[in-house]
Amino acid sequence: MVLIDQLTREPPALTAPGHEVAIDERAARRTLQAQIARLERELADAIVGAFPHVCVPEAPAPARGPRVLDLGELERVRDDLAERVGGARLAISERAEHEARSRALLEEMLREPARHKWVRVWAADVGERSCGAYHVRPRLGIVGMLMGWWHVKVSSGCPLATPA
């Protein structure tokens, strides 16, 4: 009878009942951490690629002190990063469209300066890293204006620093 009881009983568990959940949680935690790392790299690449011209939304305020985040908090961090990456990509695409429009306007100004009298396009608007400008002005001042002699003048860049 003892032998029959031993054969009909369930075999002892190889792991503790709570241990299976910990393994699943570790796998989920690793997956979330990998996603967070990938999103942080994408955000950093986006910021570096568009550095002087595009402002990226700020990160939320850090939590209080060092601690281990639970799965819900890791998911919130991942979702916030995904939103910031999306916002950065949107800002970069808007900036690229603005630069394309400015470059097209500059090409038109160079082709036909008389049609774009007194128009100014800043160098930063066409993607250059300077503070100069392209400005359609009359050649030889008022005489050139009366004669219709217009040309694009490129400014030399940033003004000299003045004492405070």
Side-chain angles (χ1 to χ4, degrees):
M1 193 69 143
V2 175
L3 184 60
I4 294 176
D5 287 338
Q6 288 178 351
L7 291 176
T8 58
R9 266 191 276 159
E10 293 181 12
L14 297 175
T15 59
H19 191 63
E20 295 168 9
V21 175
I23 291 173
D24 292 340
E25 186 173 315
R26 277 187 269 162
R29 185 178 294 280
R30 273 195 306 271
T31 303
L32 285 170
Q33 288 170 343
Q35 291 172 359
I36 289 170
R38 180 182 52 82
L39 287 169
E40 285 177 340
R41 276 192 307 275
E42 289 178 14
L43 183 62
D45 290 343
I47 292 171
V48 168
F51 169 60
H53 302 297
V54 177
C55 296
V56 179
E58 282 188 32
R64 57 192 188 283
R67 60 196 174 93
V68 176
L69 301 177
D70 63 5
L71 288 178
E73 291 171 325
L74 283 172
E75 288 175 351
R76 280 192 293 278
V77 168
R78 181 202 53 200
D79 295 343
D80 290 343
L81 273 171
E83 286 180 22
R84 289 179 58 210
V85 169
R89 287 181 179 157
L90 179 64
I92 290 168
S93 67
E94 288 173 355
R95 177 64 188 188
E97 290 172 7
H98 174 72
E99 288 178 5
R101 286 192 305 269
S102 295
R103 274 194 236 77
L105 176 60
L106 178 60
E107 288 174 10
E108 290 176 17
M109 287 169 43
L110 292 170
R111 237 183 283 120
E112 298 180 62
R115 289 189 58 221
H116 301 281
K117 298 175 182 174
W118 305 109
V119 175
R120 181 183 308 232
V121 175
W122 297 99
D125 289 342
V126 293
E128 296 177 9
R129 293 185 180 225
S130 68
C131 48
Y134 301 91
H135 192 189
V136 177
R137 304 184 59 147
R139 194 175 306 223
L140 299 175
I142 191 124
V143 173
M145 188 167 58
L146 294 173
M147 298 296 291
W149 296 335
W150 294 89
H151 73 290
V152 177
K153 183 167 176 101
V154 181
S155 73
S156 60
C158 299
L160 296 175
T162 58

